[in-house]
Amino acid sequence: MRRTATGAAVAGLLLLLGTACGSRLPESDFENRATSTPRASAEPIRVGVISSATSPVGASAFTGPRDGAKAWFDRLDARGGIDGRRVEVRTCDDGGSGVGNSACVRRLIDQDKVVALVATTALDYAGASQVSRAGVPDIGGQPIGAAYDTYPHLYGIYGSLAPRHGTPGWGGELYGGTEVYRYFKRVHGARTAAVVSYNQSASAAYARLVTEGLRAEGYRVVSEQVDFALPDFRAAAADLKAQHADLVFDALDTHGNSQLCKAMDDVGAHVTAKVTNVQNWTSGVPEDYKDAPRCRNALWATGSSRNYEDTGDTAVREFRDATKGLSTHSQWQLEGWAAARWFTDAAGSCARTGITRGCVDAFMNRGEPYTAGGLLLPVTYERLAEPPKTRRTCLSVARWRDGRGWVTQGDMNTNCFDVPQIAYRP
């Protein structure tokens, strides 16, 4: 698993909740739920997209993957669909609640009869077990919680090595690598890192993982925790300045990040890198961080997908062309686009015999790495009986520069390190 590189990608979401190829149900458990007809039929192929579009976090926090997936399917249908059949996207806003999520799952699976879910982005994925029991492949979802390391038939955008027998990871423990910290230590000579989190359980848990990883890489760690309801970012910024932090990591949402950055500028806390996550890897940086120009230009983001600004890449350029009508662009949109492409490749492999849930799931379970045409670092699913102690892991890195946007730092396929895997409980 790329749990630290991609765990950082979802840290801002993990904190608001409170990174394998799984065992499979017998094919007979779901093959009778085929939701498509033979190739000759013009019936559309239905897919479901669940997002917490309206939630306590804000209206736009969880919509990027949905928008990217819809853009892919719109372009796909304009080009003839899959084997001449258009893809009909059924969206559902779960409102950011577990009850709403379960209702979305029931509607999409039982009423709309979708073949698969795509690019799921749920604050509380309470319906995950229902999806798994129904044998519905969930393709390219964002691993905000532990569901994609828990259940078969769920395939998160970053892959998994866990057994997925119904309990998270291995005996309730997940594992994350230290590649992000190794990168900044090796490439930038960083030695002291601050970790800023809320006094909220998921945020604090993620901060502990980051802290353990930093210490495993030999960093001196400065821990800063602020109140979730009334955060005093200025005090935290003043302390990390006094502690001479080279790096700042966080388990914060976009608003928290912008407020922390403003506080850092206000107190004169200058760092080598303010490292943020995929959720904040967006074109909205100038507005989000408008009051923190120095910190804004120290923003770095890490993840496991190709920078959406890399328009010299053919696959990225196609994404940008298809989404040029959107007011903003983001890494999550690109990952939603990649998830939709993944489903398309799976469904295309089934076109001759029938696009069913079982056939699409078999494609996802075939054991081959997937890159969505180079948009993703190779995604794998395995069922390891024991967690790996070390793993060679690569990461995508970008730095914000005013006037240029997110500037890629090295090739994501060569930013690679052999790193230890650190256990944590979700």
Side-chain angles (χ1 to χ4, degrees), residues 254-279:
T254 299
H255 177 72
N257 267 289
S258 64
Q259 292 303 301
L260 175 61
C261 257
K262 181 179 185 303
M264 289 170 62
D265 271 21
D266 288 346
V267 304
H270 305 146
V271 297
T272 300
K274 165 67 180 70
V275 188
T276 189
N277 50 66
V278 166
Q279 186 193 8

Side-chain angles (χ1 to χ4, degrees), residues 380-423:
T380 60
Y381 299 96
E382 299 180 46
R383 291 175 290 175
L384 301 185
E386 300 291 335
K389 290 183 172 56
T390 62
R391 194 178 184 207
R392 184 164 183 78
T393 309
C394 305
L395 69 159
S396 176
V397 184
R399 180 183 184 182
W400 179 266
R401 306 299 287 172
D402 284 349
R404 299 177 64 191
W406 289 102
V407 180
T408 298
Q409 307 294 305
D411 186 336
M412 70 178 188
N413 291 297
T414 59
N415 285 337
C416 305
F417 306 93
D418 293 305
V419 295
Q421 301 294 299
I422 309 296

Side-chain angles (χ1 to χ4, degrees), residues 69-277:
K70 288 177 67 178
W72 168 271
F73 288 129
D74 285 346
R75 174 160 287 201
L76 179 70
D77 286 345
R79 294 175 173 177
I82 301 173
D83 198 39
R85 297 170 60 190
R86 70 182 184 87
V87 176
E88 183 180 292
V89 180
R90 297 293 181 94
T91 61
C92 192
D93 173 12
D94 66 14
S97 74
V99 172
N101 184 265
S102 294
C104 278
V105 166
R106 287 193 298 272
R107 195 197 86 190
L108 292 172
I109 292 177
D110 298 332
Q111 297 179 28
D112 293 344
K113 307 294 185 183
V114 298
V115 175
L117 300 179
V118 178
T120 299
T121 312
L123 184 60
D124 182 356
Y125 198 178
S129 62
Q130 302 172 57
V131 175
S132 180
R133 285 196 301 272
V136 176
D138 176 348
I139 300 171
Q142 289 291 337
I144 296 168
Y148 292 98
D149 286 307
T150 302
Y151 300 106
H153 310 297
L154 273 60
Y155 306 94
I157 194 69
Y158 307 126
S160 177
L161 303 180
R164 299 195 305 161
H165 291 313
T167 57
W170 293 264
E173 288 188 331
L174 303 180
Y175 286 75
T178 61
E179 60 274 5
V180 174
Y181 323 126
R182 180 77 59 86
Y183 171 85
F184 284 102
K185 183 178 180 180
R186 288 258 185 103
V187 178
H188 299 285
R191 292 293 181 271
T192 300
V195 182
V196 185
S197 63
Y198 291 121
N199 62 342
Q200 189 268 352
S201 59
S203 176
Y206 183 76
R208 286 194 296 271
L209 170 64
V210 174
T211 297
E212 289 180 24
L214 286 163
R215 286 176 174 157
E217 290 295 334
Y219 284 83
R220 182 172 73 89
V221 181
V222 179
S223 295
E224 305 287 351
Q225 190 173 88
V226 298
D227 185 77
F228 183 59
L230 297 170
D232 186 352
F233 287 116
R234 190 180 182 89
D239 189 53
L240 66 89
K241 176 187 177 182
Q243 298 284 348
H244 304 289
D246 301 313
L247 308 176
V248 177
F249 291 87
D250 70 86
L252 306 173
D253 55 348
T254 299
H255 177 72
N257 267 289
S258 64
Q259 292 303 301
L260 175 61
C261 257
K262 181 179 185 303
M264 289 170 62
D265 271 21
D266 288 346
V267 304
H270 305 146
V271 297
T272 300
K274 165 67 180 70
V275 188
T276 189
N277 50 66

